[in-house]
Amino acid sequence: MGVLNVTPDSFSDGGRHDTVDTAVAFGLQLRADGADLVDVGGESTRPGAARVSADEECARVVPVVAALVREGVRCSVDTMRASVASAAVSAGATLVNDVSGGLADRSMLPAVASLGVPYVAMHWRGHSADMQTRAVYDDVVTEVVSELSARLDACAAAGISSVVVDPGIGFAKTAEHNWALLRNVARLQALGPVLLGSSRKAFLGALLDDRPPVGRDAATTALTVVAAQAGCWGVRVHDVRGSADAVRVVERLRQPGGERLGA
Ligand code: PMM
């Protein structure tokens, strides 16, 4: 899943794709680089970010989704709002990626159920403005699994048939929490298919002596290898080329053959 933020303020690519034409060109590049899905978002969720109005979010996202879908690109919409999800699916998006797992907008789960598309439910404890104050856990893996499990119950009750879970790397989590979750992906996979969104996030910058976001792609690709080997459903990344290549390597290693061909 390639990241396409049509926002002025996302932490890594904010302001880079703020016209429809530049956003669509970038989405086409993500597909050419190997993305199976281009994830179009119109609201930054970086720690401390302010919210935008639903109208503004729709105005950013819908024309980009429509144009990419016309070009045959599969799109997801990254939104916490039912109205934006519905408008993007009407424009051709085929998956709703909700970083709040249905908690930010009570209309979201019924809307997704009636749209009939798959849904990504991410672990979330509150809006970006103060989410890091909620990074308090006795046992982060057990608590994230249990909170995601409650979201899965809510999805089932609403009638959503296809759900991918995401631990929400960097959302109400310290670096230590992120590493613990990545070390325990198998426990998340017991819930269902797993999406991981570690790309360029601050905990990788901290590991790499405070390197800025664009210098974190090799570390991101390393985590894609880990995710692919664990059998995750997907990764959400900025540098699609590196991750798509990594997935192809892991898939090729899984295929037997050559062992009997001699040296
Ligand atoms: N992270 C961001 C935005 N959307 N969606 C999912 N499912 N998982 C994530 O980890 C996630 C997300 C924030 O990163 P960005 O500013 O690079 O988009």
Side-chain angles (χ1 to χ4, degrees), residues 68-94:
L68 285 172
V69 169
R70 269 198 302 276
E71 298 287 337
V73 178
R74 282 181 63 214
C75 289
S76 51
V77 58
D78 184 349
T79 185
M80 294 184 265
R81 288 187 168 113
S83 60
V84 178
S86 301
V89 171
S90 298
T94 52

PDB file of all heavy atoms in Angstrom, residues 68-94:
ATOM      1  N   LEU A  68      -7.332   8.680 -10.295  1.00  0.00           N
ATOM      2  CA  LEU A  68      -6.486   7.467 -10.257  1.00  0.00           C
ATOM      3  C   LEU A  68      -7.292   6.240 -10.677  1.00  0.00           C
ATOM      4  O   LEU A  68      -6.790   5.376 -11.411  1.00  0.00           O
ATOM      5  CB  LEU A  68      -5.881   7.273  -8.851  1.00  0.00           C
ATOM      6  CG  LEU A  68      -4.735   8.223  -8.515  1.00  0.00           C
ATOM      7  CD1 LEU A  68      -4.353   8.086  -7.033  1.00  0.00           C
ATOM      8  CD2 LEU A  68      -3.514   7.949  -9.400  1.00  0.00           C
ATOM      9  N   VAL A  69      -8.534   6.154 -10.222  1.00  0.00           N
ATOM     10  CA  VAL A  69      -9.370   5.001 -10.586  1.00  0.00           C
ATOM     11  C   VAL A  69      -9.598   4.997 -12.107  1.00  0.00           C
ATOM     12  O   VAL A  69      -9.557   3.943 -12.748  1.00  0.00           O
ATOM     13  CB  VAL A  69     -10.682   5.019  -9.778  1.00  0.00           C
ATOM     14  CG1 VAL A  69     -11.687   4.005 -10.327  1.00  0.00           C
ATOM     15  CG2 VAL A  69     -10.390   4.735  -8.302  1.00  0.00           C
ATOM     16  N   ARG A  70      -9.773   6.184 -12.690  1.00  0.00           N
ATOM     17  CA  ARG A  70      -9.920   6.258 -14.163  1.00  0.00           C
ATOM     18  C   ARG A  70      -8.693   5.704 -14.867  1.00  0.00           C
ATOM     19  O   ARG A  70      -8.779   5.163 -15.959  1.00  0.00           O
ATOM     20  CB  ARG A  70     -10.133   7.719 -14.598  1.00  0.00           C
ATOM     21  CG  ARG A  70     -11.585   8.143 -14.659  1.00  0.00           C
ATOM     22  CD  ARG A  70     -11.785   9.421 -15.501  1.00  0.00           C
ATOM     23  NE  ARG A  70     -11.003  10.550 -15.008  1.00  0.00           N
ATOM     24  CZ  ARG A  70     -11.391  11.367 -14.016  1.00  0.00           C
ATOM     25  NH1 ARG A  70     -12.544  11.171 -13.418  1.00  0.00           N
ATOM     26  NH2 ARG A  70     -10.629  12.367 -13.645  1.00  0.00           N
ATOM     27  N   GLU A  71      -7.548   5.833 -14.211  1.00  0.00           N
ATOM     28  CA  GLU A  71      -6.295   5.301 -14.790  1.00  0.00           C
ATOM     29  C   GLU A  71      -6.079   3.832 -14.420  1.00  0.00           C
ATOM     30  O   GLU A  71      -5.016   3.274 -14.664  1.00  0.00           O
ATOM     31  CB  GLU A  71      -5.093   6.108 -14.282  1.00  0.00           C
ATOM     32  CG  GLU A  71      -5.101   7.566 -14.666  1.00  0.00           C
ATOM     33  CD  GLU A  71      -4.780   7.772 -16.148  1.00  0.00           C
ATOM     34  OE1 GLU A  71      -4.156   6.886 -16.761  1.00  0.00           O
ATOM     35  OE2 GLU A  71      -5.182   8.814 -16.692  1.00  0.00           O
ATOM     36  N   GLY A  72      -7.075   3.231 -13.763  1.00  0.00           N
ATOM     37  CA  GLY A  72      -6.961   1.798 -13.433  1.00  0.00           C
ATOM     38  C   GLY A  72      -6.173   1.517 -12.167  1.00  0.00           C
ATOM     39  O   GLY A  72      -5.755   0.382 -11.933  1.00  0.00           O
ATOM     40  N   VAL A  73      -5.952   2.540 -11.319  1.00  0.00           N
ATOM     41  CA  VAL A  73      -5.210   2.339 -10.064  1.00  0.00           C
ATOM     42  C   VAL A  73      -6.201   1.976  -8.955  1.00  0.00           C
ATOM     43  O   VAL A  73      -7.215   2.666  -8.784  1.00  0.00           O
ATOM     44  CB  VAL A  73      -4.442   3.620  -9.679  1.00  0.00           C
ATOM     45  CG1 VAL A  73      -3.706   3.436  -8.352  1.00  0.00           C
ATOM     46  CG2 VAL A  73      -3.470   4.008 -10.786  1.00  0.00           C
ATOM     47  N   ARG A  74      -5.914   0.907  -8.212  1.00  0.00           N
ATOM     48  CA  ARG A  74      -6.768   0.557  -7.065  1.00  0.00           C
ATOM     49  C   ARG A  74      -6.450   1.505  -5.912  1.00  0.00           C
ATOM     50  O   ARG A  74      -5.281   1.689  -5.555  1.00  0.00           O
ATOM     51  CB  ARG A  74      -6.504  -0.880  -6.606  1.00  0.00           C
ATOM     52  CG  ARG A  74      -7.179  -1.916  -7.490  1.00  0.00           C
ATOM     53  CD  ARG A  74      -6.900  -3.321  -6.980  1.00  0.00           C
ATOM     54  NE  ARG A  74      -7.452  -3.550  -5.659  1.00  0.00           N
ATOM     55  CZ  ARG A  74      -6.908  -4.324  -4.721  1.00  0.00           C
ATOM     56  NH1 ARG A  74      -5.758  -4.930  -4.946  1.00  0.00           N
ATOM     57  NH2 ARG A  74      -7.490  -4.500  -3.560  1.00  0.00           N
ATOM     58  N   CYS A  75      -7.483   2.099  -5.336  1.00  0.00           N
ATOM     59  CA  CYS A  75      -7.280   3.088  -4.271  1.00  0.00           C
ATOM     60  C   CYS A  75      -8.004   2.688  -2.998  1.00  0.00           C
ATOM     61  O   CYS A  75      -9.109   2.133  -3.040  1.00  0.00           O
ATOM     62  CB  CYS A  75      -7.842   4.456  -4.698  1.00  0.00           C
ATOM     63  SG  CYS A  75      -6.885   5.272  -5.971  1.00  0.00           S
ATOM     64  N   SER A  76      -7.379   2.999  -1.862  1.00  0.00           N
ATOM     65  CA  SER A  76      -8.070   3.001  -0.583  1.00  0.00           C
ATOM     66  C   SER A  76      -8.172   4.457  -0.144  1.00  0.00           C
ATOM     67  O   SER A  76      -7.438   5.310  -0.635  1.00  0.00           O
ATOM     68  CB  SER A  76      -7.314   2.165   0.457  1.00  0.00           C
ATOM     69  OG  SER A  76      -5.954   2.552   0.517  1.00  0.00           O
ATOM     70  N   VAL A  77      -9.084   4.718   0.801  1.00  0.00           N
ATOM     71  CA  VAL A  77      -9.186   6.073   1.335  1.00  0.00           C
ATOM     72  C   VAL A  77      -8.824   6.029   2.812  1.00  0.00           C
ATOM     73  O   VAL A  77      -9.305   5.181   3.555  1.00  0.00           O
ATOM     74  CB  VAL A  77     -10.593   6.677   1.112  1.00  0.00           C
ATOM     75  CG1 VAL A  77     -11.703   5.845   1.736  1.00  0.00           C
ATOM     76  CG2 VAL A  77     -10.635   8.116   1.617  1.00  0.00           C
ATOM     77  N   ASP A  78      -7.910   6.911   3.203  1.00  0.00           N
ATOM     78  CA  ASP A  78      -7.446   6.997   4.591  1.00  0.00           C
ATOM     79  C   ASP A  78      -8.249   8.103   5.264  1.00  0.00           C
ATOM     80  O   ASP A  78      -7.954   9.289   5.089  1.00  0.00           O
ATOM     81  CB  ASP A  78      -5.947   7.321   4.566  1.00  0.00           C
ATOM     82  CG  ASP A  78      -5.313   7.347   5.948  1.00  0.00           C
ATOM     83  OD1 ASP A  78      -6.048   7.316   6.949  1.00  0.00           O
ATOM     84  OD2 ASP A  78      -4.077   7.412   6.008  1.00  0.00           O
ATOM     85  N   THR A  79      -9.288   7.714   5.989  1.00  0.00           N
ATOM     86  CA  THR A  79     -10.158   8.718   6.626  1.00  0.00           C
ATOM     87  C   THR A  79     -10.800   8.163   7.884  1.00  0.00           C
ATOM     88  O   THR A  79     -11.012   6.956   8.004  1.00  0.00           O
ATOM     89  CB  THR A  79     -11.274   9.195   5.660  1.00  0.00           C
ATOM     90  OG1 THR A  79     -12.015  10.248   6.288  1.00  0.00           O
ATOM     91  CG2 THR A  79     -12.233   8.070   5.277  1.00  0.00           C
ATOM     92  N   MET A  80     -11.120   9.070   8.811  1.00  0.00           N
ATOM     93  CA  MET A  80     -11.870   8.702  10.018  1.00  0.00           C
ATOM     94  C   MET A  80     -13.340   9.065   9.873  1.00  0.00           C
ATOM     95  O   MET A  80     -14.110   8.888  10.813  1.00  0.00           O
ATOM     96  CB  MET A  80     -11.303   9.464  11.224  1.00  0.00           C
ATOM     97  CG  MET A  80      -9.901   9.069  11.593  1.00  0.00           C
ATOM     98  SD  MET A  80      -9.376   9.937  13.095  1.00  0.00           S
ATOM     99  CE  MET A  80      -8.528  11.332  12.380  1.00  0.00           C
ATOM    100  N   ARG A  81     -13.736   9.628   8.721  1.00  0.00           N
ATOM    101  CA  ARG A  81     -15.097  10.147   8.575  1.00  0.00           C
ATOM    102  C   ARG A  81     -15.914   9.294   7.606  1.00  0.00           C
ATOM    103  O   ARG A  81     -15.493   9.043   6.468  1.00  0.00           O
ATOM    104  CB  ARG A  81     -15.044  11.575   8.040  1.00  0.00           C
ATOM    105  CG  ARG A  81     -14.550  12.578   9.063  1.00  0.00           C
ATOM    106  CD  ARG A  81     -14.711  13.972   8.484  1.00  0.00           C
ATOM    107  NE  ARG A  81     -14.531  14.989   9.498  1.00  0.00           N
ATOM    108  CZ  ARG A  81     -13.498  15.841   9.504  1.00  0.00           C
ATOM    109  NH1 ARG A  81     -12.573  15.789   8.556  1.00  0.00           N
ATOM    110  NH2 ARG A  81     -13.407  16.755  10.458  1.00  0.00           N
ATOM    111  N   ALA A  82     -17.132   8.946   8.043  1.00  0.00           N
ATOM    112  CA  ALA A  82     -18.036   8.161   7.195  1.00  0.00           C
ATOM    113  C   ALA A  82     -18.365   8.908   5.909  1.00  0.00           C
ATOM    114  O   ALA A  82     -18.414   8.307   4.831  1.00  0.00           O
ATOM    115  CB  ALA A  82     -19.313   7.844   7.963  1.00  0.00           C
ATOM    116  N   SER A  83     -18.558  10.224   6.012  1.00  0.00           N
ATOM    117  CA  SER A  83     -18.967  10.964   4.805  1.00  0.00           C
ATOM    118  C   SER A  83     -17.852  10.951   3.759  1.00  0.00           C
ATOM    119  O   SER A  83     -18.113  10.810   2.560  1.00  0.00           O
ATOM    120  CB  SER A  83     -19.340  12.411   5.165  1.00  0.00           C
ATOM    121  OG  SER A  83     -18.231  13.070   5.757  1.00  0.00           O
ATOM    122  N   VAL A  84     -16.600  11.066   4.215  1.00  0.00           N
ATOM    123  CA  VAL A  84     -15.475  11.055   3.272  1.00  0.00           C
ATOM    124  C   VAL A  84     -15.300   9.645   2.701  1.00  0.00           C
ATOM    125  O   VAL A  84     -15.051   9.464   1.498  1.00  0.00           O
ATOM    126  CB  VAL A  84     -14.182  11.545   3.961  1.00  0.00           C
ATOM    127  CG1 VAL A  84     -12.993  11.490   3.008  1.00  0.00           C
ATOM    128  CG2 VAL A  84     -14.369  12.951   4.515  1.00  0.00           C
ATOM    129  N   ALA A  85     -15.454   8.638   3.563  1.00  0.00           N
ATOM    130  CA  ALA A  85     -15.339   7.247   3.087  1.00  0.00           C
ATOM    131  C   ALA A  85     -16.380   6.990   1.999  1.00  0.00           C
ATOM    132  O   ALA A  85     -16.066   6.428   0.939  1.00  0.00           O
ATOM    133  CB  ALA A  85     -15.529   6.283   4.256  1.00  0.00           C
ATOM    134  N   SER A  86     -17.622   7.418   2.237  1.00  0.00           N
ATOM    135  CA  SER A  86     -18.695   7.170   1.262  1.00  0.00           C
ATOM    136  C   SER A  86     -18.418   7.888  -0.055  1.00  0.00           C
ATOM    137  O   SER A  86     -18.579   7.309  -1.135  1.00  0.00           O
ATOM    138  CB  SER A  86     -20.043   7.641   1.814  1.00  0.00           C
ATOM    139  OG  SER A  86     -20.321   6.949   3.004  1.00  0.00           O
ATOM    140  N   ALA A  87     -17.968   9.146   0.036  1.00  0.00           N
ATOM    141  CA  ALA A  87     -17.693   9.902  -1.191  1.00  0.00           C
ATOM    142  C   ALA A  87     -16.535   9.273  -1.967  1.00  0.00           C
ATOM    143  O   ALA A  87     -16.570   9.184  -3.198  1.00  0.00           O
ATOM    144  CB  ALA A  87     -17.376  11.355  -0.846  1.00  0.00           C
ATOM    145  N   ALA A  88     -15.513   8.802  -1.240  1.00  0.00           N
ATOM    146  CA  ALA A  88     -14.357   8.206  -1.925  1.00  0.00           C
ATOM    147  C   ALA A  88     -14.733   6.865  -2.552  1.00  0.00           C
ATOM    148  O   ALA A  88     -14.282   6.541  -3.661  1.00  0.00           O
ATOM    149  CB  ALA A  88     -13.201   8.030  -0.943  1.00  0.00           C
ATOM    150  N   VAL A  89     -15.566   6.085  -1.870  1.00  0.00           N
ATOM    151  CA  VAL A  89     -15.988   4.799  -2.456  1.00  0.00           C
ATOM    152  C   VAL A  89     -16.875   5.063  -3.677  1.00  0.00           C
ATOM    153  O   VAL A  89     -16.743   4.391  -4.705  1.00  0.00           O
ATOM    154  CB  VAL A  89     -16.675   3.903  -1.401  1.00  0.00           C
ATOM    155  CG1 VAL A  89     -17.312   2.678  -2.041  1.00  0.00           C
ATOM    156  CG2 VAL A  89     -15.652   3.467  -0.331  1.00  0.00           C
ATOM    157  N   SER A  90     -17.719   6.095  -3.605  1.00  0.00           N
ATOM    158  CA  SER A  90     -18.512   6.450  -4.804  1.00  0.00           C
ATOM    159  C   SER A  90     -17.602   6.842  -5.961  1.00  0.00           C
ATOM    160  O   SER A  90     -17.928   6.609  -7.124  1.00  0.00           O
ATOM    161  CB  SER A  90     -19.445   7.627  -4.521  1.00  0.00           C
ATOM    162  OG  SER A  90     -20.351   7.276  -3.524  1.00  0.00           O
ATOM    163  N   ALA A  91     -16.446   7.432  -5.637  1.00  0.00           N
ATOM    164  CA  ALA A  91     -15.494   7.821  -6.683  1.00  0.00           C
ATOM    165  C   ALA A  91     -14.627   6.644  -7.131  1.00  0.00           C
ATOM    166  O   ALA A  91     -13.788   6.805  -8.020  1.00  0.00           O
ATOM    167  CB  ALA A  91     -14.609   8.969  -6.175  1.00  0.00           C
ATOM    168  N   GLY A  92     -14.805   5.476  -6.497  1.00  0.00           N
ATOM    169  CA  GLY A  92     -14.095   4.281  -6.975  1.00  0.00           C
ATOM    170  C   GLY A  92     -13.133   3.633  -6.000  1.00  0.00           C
ATOM    171  O   GLY A  92     -12.533   2.597  -6.328  1.00  0.00           O
ATOM    172  N   ALA A  93     -12.944   4.202  -4.806  1.00  0.00           N
ATOM    173  CA  ALA A  93     -12.054   3.549  -3.829  1.00  0.00           C
ATOM    174  C   ALA A  93     -12.649   2.197  -3.434  1.00  0.00           C
ATOM    175  O   ALA A  93     -13.876   2.044  -3.362  1.00  0.00           O
ATOM    176  CB  ALA A  93     -11.877   4.431  -2.594  1.00  0.00           C
ATOM    177  N   THR A  94     -11.765   1.212  -3.177  1.00  0.00           N
ATOM    178  CA  THR A  94     -12.267  -0.148  -2.923  1.00  0.00           C
ATOM    179  C   THR A  94     -11.959  -0.630  -1.515  1.00  0.00           C
ATOM    180  O   THR A  94     -12.181  -1.801  -1.203  1.00  0.00           O
ATOM    181  CB  THR A  94     -11.670  -1.139  -3.940  1.00  0.00           C
ATOM    182  OG1 THR A  94     -10.249  -0.998  -3.934  1.00  0.00           O
ATOM    183  CG2 THR A  94     -12.214  -0.901  -5.332  1.00  0.00           C
TER     184      THR A  94
END
